[in-house]
Amino acid sequence: MKLLTILGSDETFNLVSRYIKPLGFDIIRYGHVIKAMDNIDEVDPAGIILSASDFPRHWKTLAHFVRVDRNKDQCPIVLLTGEKFPLEEASKAFYVGVSGIVSETLGEPSQISKLQNILSRYLPVEEKRRAPRFFVEPWQRCALIFANPLNKAIITGKVRTIARMGISFHPDYPFLLENLYPGRMIPECSFRLDDAILSPECRLARVGRIIALEFINFPPNEQAVLDAYLEDLPVRELRHQE
């Protein structure tokens, strides 16, 4: 899925990219509204993020242009605004077809969640099932060890992404998994999230250099631990940056 961003600020683009990549979008950036309009059919985006601060005279034109051929279900438009965005302008934004308005600073966890939720709302069902997906950063205490169910070999490696439904994982020694195929249950897992150690029952969803594991079942209360961790992740990242 392609996400079209029309942003003049590098700082804003970097912020948006950080919080949107977990949803699985391929992010395309334009720094000029007219050029973006000229290439809208070629890009064929699944969503658009547009800065009202960077393009105060052209954002309405672009929103109206997009809505001629693409409705909200086909292509949500998120408008990023500065601190002083008049209520009258907000009303005009929704009138011309904007799907949601978010502060461009993304300084509050609520704004980050709002941006992700606006786009997630319009994802296809098969994509929505696994969104949001978060890339694991080096500062996160996130690790997985499990046993190959056929020969009990201990599998170690690096967690690449994490979601409520499962994770992707780069094994240290992929050859230890050569006898496994998608669909195989992995009952013996030890999954670390910060100070918590979880014991999910998993199913192998994808094999290769990067494998995917689907969470099938957790012991009592452990699903809530994972949910709380994911919900708090944007706040954790902001604290780390400080």
Side-chain angles (χ1 to χ4, degrees):
M1 298 179 298
K2 297 177 183 178
L3 178 72
L4 176 61
T5 63
I6 308 168
L7 307 169
S9 166
D10 291 339
E11 181 179 358
T12 302
F13 175 74
N14 291 334
L15 277 173
V16 168
S17 297
R18 180 183 306 154
Y19 296 115
I20 292 305
K21 282 183 178 178
L23 296 180
F25 285 103
D26 294 323
I27 301 176
I28 299 171
R29 180 187 180 186
Y30 281 92
H32 301 280
V33 171
I34 301 302
K35 188 172 182 180
M37 292 169 62
D38 288 341
N39 291 278
I40 194 78
D41 289 332
E42 179 181 349
V43 175
D44 192 21
I48 295 173
I49 295 179
L50 170 65
S51 172
S53 298
D54 293 340
F55 309 104
R57 293 185 296 175
H58 296 103
W59 64 264
K60 298 186 194 73
T61 302
L62 184 132
H64 179 75
F65 177 82
V66 171
R67 286 292 171 252
V68 171
D69 296 317
R70 294 170 171 82
N71 61 38
K72 288 186 178 181
D73 291 334
Q74 294 172 312
C75 183
I77 300 174
V78 179
L79 189 67
L80 301 183
T81 66
E83 294 182 2
K84 298 180 180 179
F85 192 67
L87 179 60
E88 181 181 354
E89 289 292 275
S91 299
K92 291 179 181 178
F94 289 114
Y95 179 77
V96 297
V98 168
S99 306
I101 298 174
V102 179
S103 170
E104 66 182 5
T105 64
L106 296 176
E108 297 291 333
S110 60
Q111 293 297 307
I112 297 168
S113 297
K114 184 177 181 181
L115 175 62
Q116 293 177 330
N117 290 336
I118 291 170
L119 295 172
S120 296
R121 190 185 313 151
Y122 297 97
L123 291 175
V125 173
E126 64 273 14
E127 296 291 341
K128 187 180 296 184
R129 185 178 63 86
R130 59 176 180 265
R133 175 168 51 96
F134 297 93
F135 288 92
V136 175
E137 302 292 344
W139 56 267
Q140 292 176 246
R141 300 172 67 194
C142 182
L144 178 76
I145 298 176
F146 64 93
N148 183 318
L150 297 183
N151 57 22
K152 302 304 178 181
I154 300 301
I155 310 300
T156 60
K158 181 179 180 181
V159 178
R160 299 291 298 273
T161 64
I162 178 174
R164 190 177 192 274
M165 301 298 295
I167 65 172
S168 65
F169 181 77
H170 186 182
D172 291 330
Y173 304 103
F175 69 89
L176 293 176
L177 296 165
E178 289 179 350
N179 59 349
L180 299 182
Y181 298 93
R184 167 66 67 174
M185 296 299 296
I186 311 292
E188 299 179 55
C189 297
S190 181
F191 183 35
R192 178 169 189 166
L193 281 179
D194 204 6
D195 293 328
I197 304 295
L198 311 183
S199 302
E201 181 181 11
C202 299
R203 179 166 53 211
L204 192 60
R206 186 177 70 244
V207 296
R209 187 177 62 88
I210 304 296
I211 69 172
L213 291 170
E214 180 183 0
F215 297 137
I216 300 301
N217 186 45
F218 281 95
N221 301 321
E222 289 191 3
Q223 180 70 65
V225 174
L226 173 60
D227 291 346
Y229 180 88
L230 294 177
E231 183 178 351
D232 193 47
L233 198 52
V235 179
R236 291 171 183 266
E237 184 164 1
L238 289 173
R239 289 172 182 164
H240 174 74
Q241 293 171 358
E242 295 174 354

